[in-house]
Amino acid sequence: MRILTVLLCVATVLASRPAGAAPPCDARKVAAAARACGELLRGEGRFARDGDAMRRARRVALASDRLAREWTAAEAAAVDATCAAFSASGVDTADRLAAAVADAGASLPGSARCRGAVLGTLAPLCRRVVRSELPLLGDAPGAHDDRQLVLARVRTSLGRALPRTECGGGGPGAADVEPVLLRVAAGALGDATVRSLRALVADAGPEIGVAIEPNEVASDPVYAAALDREATSITAENVMKWGPIHPAPGTWVFGPADEVVARAESQGQRVRGHTLVWGALQLPAYVENASDADTLRAMMAEHIATVAGRYAGRIAQWDVVNEPLPGSLDPPTADGLDDNVFRRLIGPGYVAEALHLARAADPAAKLYVNENGIEVPGPRQDRFFALVQDLLAAGAPLDGVGFQAHLGLIPIGQYPDEATIAASLRRFADLGLSVELTELDVALVFRVGDLPSRLAFQGGYYRSVIAACATVPDCAGVTTWGLSDRHTWLRSFFGFTDWPLPFDDDWRRKPAYFGMRAALLEAALRGD
Ligand code: XIL
């Protein structure tokens, strides 16, 4: 009976979500429903025999006095309406669930005590599933049918819960209970949809961006669908850089960059331009070997005017200068700037000059300088801070600072916590600038532990990183440097075996994805 209670709880609380044209899922209702789930479980199945799904759902909703006090009459009416909608379609689901559970529950092996212990683990599972998944169910644009996602969560939770029961080898194990839960979750969810990251930030919240190679998206419909579904912002991982777009004097390769911009526009996504001036990498030899300051100035002026001019009005932000500091492992220089050809020939003022050129070419774009390794306080962040202060003091048109956030990689093996990242973001925001995490990935290659534990760590860590941005009002967005591990630059560029991104090689959501989603959800619940 207990399993039936628990499962009915899952079913009924899930069913009490707003459906169809009902108001969107309300944060307080969700929290209240999760508590109601707990109440119901503690009630040891008092309501389990109630055959009327509509009344059962209503009772779940109003199971405690506290709950009744917290809900306004309008909310209670909304729940009633939802329950009414559920009763039309959901009774059948609930009945099917009950039958499935009764069947499978009866066939679990082991003593009654062990069976009870195992089934007892389902209570927290119920709460966890309800808490984490219910708010994501909805009919918002961009939502998609994704029961597998919830099933995966159930499976994971169960895997963690079972070893804690008192049952030894003789009792029911995951293999026995899992099919029950999976059937239950599948049935309870019915045709439910799960909100994507994009849908979660639809009304408020930071932009959720992805850096892409247009050919990788064009050749993979699964990638394309995930991108359309999850991202509100797009960055070109390479095709807008100097080398790819302007490989020789007078030679321009705009096709791939045009494709990125057009694709994003067709999906209503913002575009971050990356990058106009980058001394360290992907700079053609004719620029590297420029003979003197005037020649290089003319090249820079032509390049910025042509590239930023071409997309003027269509790019939300430009990383005008990328990585003005020396590499994180390089020795510091006298003026603190990277010893690249721009600084060597033009001098430290090249950064401000580039910003002015970009402003002239695209007055609407927000202009950024973008840097790695500045998420942690210390000399490197201080150098960057001084540079930004100098630029502002000199009247350079600077709107924002990009924190690349190649975490776990720069600095190697370090994972600054939420408070540290938030404080770093605030330090720059306090100068009146926007800030963004522009190239987020979380490297695991330098971390010890087996892969599952590292991936689990990564999930929690993604959550803190997104939370850091979501709690800083001037943090306008977070872009991950790719979407699936199969495309990560940590493999192609460094040759590492790593898994730094929210989707795995086969486009399954990783704990990292759920971490991102949890942080966005928390922000939405707080009303950030
Ligand atoms: C990387 C790309 O991901 C790789 O494909 C390319 O080979 C090298 O550049 N900081 C940046 C990005 O600002 O432009 C870099 O992108 C990653 C580090």
Side-chain angles (χ1 to χ4, degrees):
M1 188 46 73
R2 184 130 186 231
I3 187 170
L4 186 59
T5 307
V6 172
L7 295 169
L8 285 173
C9 169
V10 173
T12 50
V13 176
L14 285 172
S16 70
R17 73 193 164 86
C25 210
D26 176 286
R28 293 199 314 129
K29 249 181 250 172
V30 168
R35 278 198 299 276
C37 174
E39 302 280 349
L40 188 65
L41 290 168
R42 276 195 289 281
E44 291 294 331
R46 268 181 294 142
F47 304 135
R49 265 178 248 274
D50 189 334
D52 181 329
M54 176 175 159
R55 272 193 297 140
R56 190 184 306 127
R58 178 87 170 98
R59 263 197 230 182
V60 170
L62 300 175
S64 73
D65 290 340
R66 189 179 47 184
L67 195 57
R69 273 202 309 278
E70 283 179 0
W71 285 31
T72 64
E75 284 171 334
V79 174
D80 272 343
T82 305
C83 292
F86 174 69
S87 72
S89 62
V91 171
D92 178 39
T93 303
D95 287 349
R96 270 191 288 116
L97 287 183
V101 171
D103 277 1
S107 63
L108 287 177
S111 69
R113 185 183 65 78
C114 284
R115 203 157 47 222
V118 171
L119 297 183
T121 64
L122 300 181
L125 178 63
C126 167
R127 279 194 287 273
R128 185 166 0 194
V129 170
V130 170
R131 277 217 185 90
S132 62
E133 299 304 335
L134 178 61
L136 305 170
L137 301 174
D139 53 357
H144 61 288
D145 182 350
D146 202 347
R147 295 181 310 169
Q148 289 309 316
L149 182 149
V150 181
L151 300 188
R153 291 280 281 183
V154 170
R155 191 189 304 259
T156 309
S157 306
L158 185 69
R160 276 203 293 267
L162 280 179
R164 291 201 301 272
T165 69
E166 289 165 16
C167 284
D176 302 306
V177 183
E178 185 176 289
V180 181
L181 282 171
L182 295 186
R183 267 148 75 189
V184 167
L189 290 167
D191 296 328
T193 55
V194 173
R195 289 189 188 178
S196 62
L197 303 180
R198 183 175 188 175
L200 270 179
V201 295
D203 299 329
E207 300 275 351
I208 295 298
V210 177
I212 64 165
E213 295 283 22
N215 62 334
E216 288 172 352
V217 178
S219 62
D220 182 348
V222 180
Y223 190 174
L227 194 65
D228 299 347
R229 194 178 65 221
E230 305 292 349
T232 66
S233 175
I234 300 294
T235 302
E237 184 172 344
N238 285 298
V239 300
M240 287 186 182
K241 291 173 183 170
W242 197 314
I245 208 168
H246 189 187
T251 303
W252 300 92
V253 182
F254 289 124
D258 287 356
E259 199 180 322
V260 169
V261 175
R263 184 173 205 295
E265 286 174 345
S266 75
Q267 294 299 322
Q269 291 158 326
R270 185 191 78 156
V271 182
R272 290 199 85 251
H274 178 83
T275 173
L276 294 170
V277 176
W278 186 19
L281 277 177
Q282 293 169 291
L283 194 60
Y286 72 92
V287 188
E288 285 281 7
N289 300 330
S291 52
D292 56 76
D294 285 349
T295 310
L296 186 56
R297 268 209 177 87
M299 282 180 186
M300 189 167 84
E302 184 207 19
H303 182 78
I304 293 178
T306 307
V307 177
R310 181 178 182 88
Y311 302 109
R314 301 167 72 191
I315 303 279
Q317 304 178 350
W318 266 111
D319 288 334
V320 177
V321 177
N322 194 32
E323 301 185 348
L325 299 188
S328 59
L329 300 177
D330 294 340
T333 52
D335 60 9
L337 291 187
D338 182 37
D339 182 28
N340 63 43
V341 67
F342 297 101
R343 177 226 185 216
R344 268 198 311 275
L345 295 187
I346 300 175
Y350 87 88
V351 180
E353 284 184 35
L355 287 163
H356 283 290
L357 290 165
R359 180 66 97 224
D362 184 355
K366 300 284 183 213
L367 306 183
Y368 275 60
V369 283
N370 194 47
E371 189 51 88
N372 64 45
I374 55 169
E375 298 78 21
V376 281
R380 184 173 180 79
Q381 190 188 77
D382 292 345
R383 274 202 300 283
F384 194 68
F385 192 74
L387 167 67
V388 168
Q389 278 182 315
D390 289 350
L391 288 168
L392 292 174
L398 178 67
D399 301 302
V401 163
F403 290 64
Q404 290 187 4
H406 292 298
L407 301 168
L409 180 75
I410 307 172
I412 285 177
Q414 283 192 38
Y415 303 92
D417 65 13
E418 179 183 335
T420 303
I421 296 176
S424 299
L425 292 170
R426 264 193 221 100
R427 184 177 185 202
F428 287 85
D430 285 348
L431 295 174
L433 297 170
S434 281
V435 290
E436 290 220 6
L437 302 177
T438 54
E439 304 186 11
L440 173 63
D441 47 17
V442 176
L444 297 176
V445 67
F446 302 111
R447 194 175 171 85
V448 292
D450 60 19
L451 186 56
S453 69
R454 283 188 286 166
L455 292 174
F457 156 80
Q458 187 184 53
Y461 189 61
Y462 257 93
R463 183 180 188 145
S464 4
V465 176
I466 305 296
C469 176
T471 51
V472 173
D474 294 306
C475 187
V478 178
T479 290
T480 56
W481 208 241
L483 191 56
S484 151
D485 288 340
R486 67 163 66 192
H487 299 124
T488 174
W489 75 301
L490 297 183
R491 295 184 188 177
S492 56
F493 187 76
F494 290 106
F496 295 153
T497 301
D498 211 323
W499 310 266
L501 290 165
F503 283 79
D504 75 7
D505 280 74
D506 298 315
W507 288 107
R508 284 183 297 251
R509 290 163 182 74
K510 294 167 57 190
Y513 177 90
F514 296 118
M516 292 182 78
R517 208 177 53 170
L520 295 175
L521 179 61
E522 283 158 8
L525 296 181
R526 282 194 310 268
D528 285 356

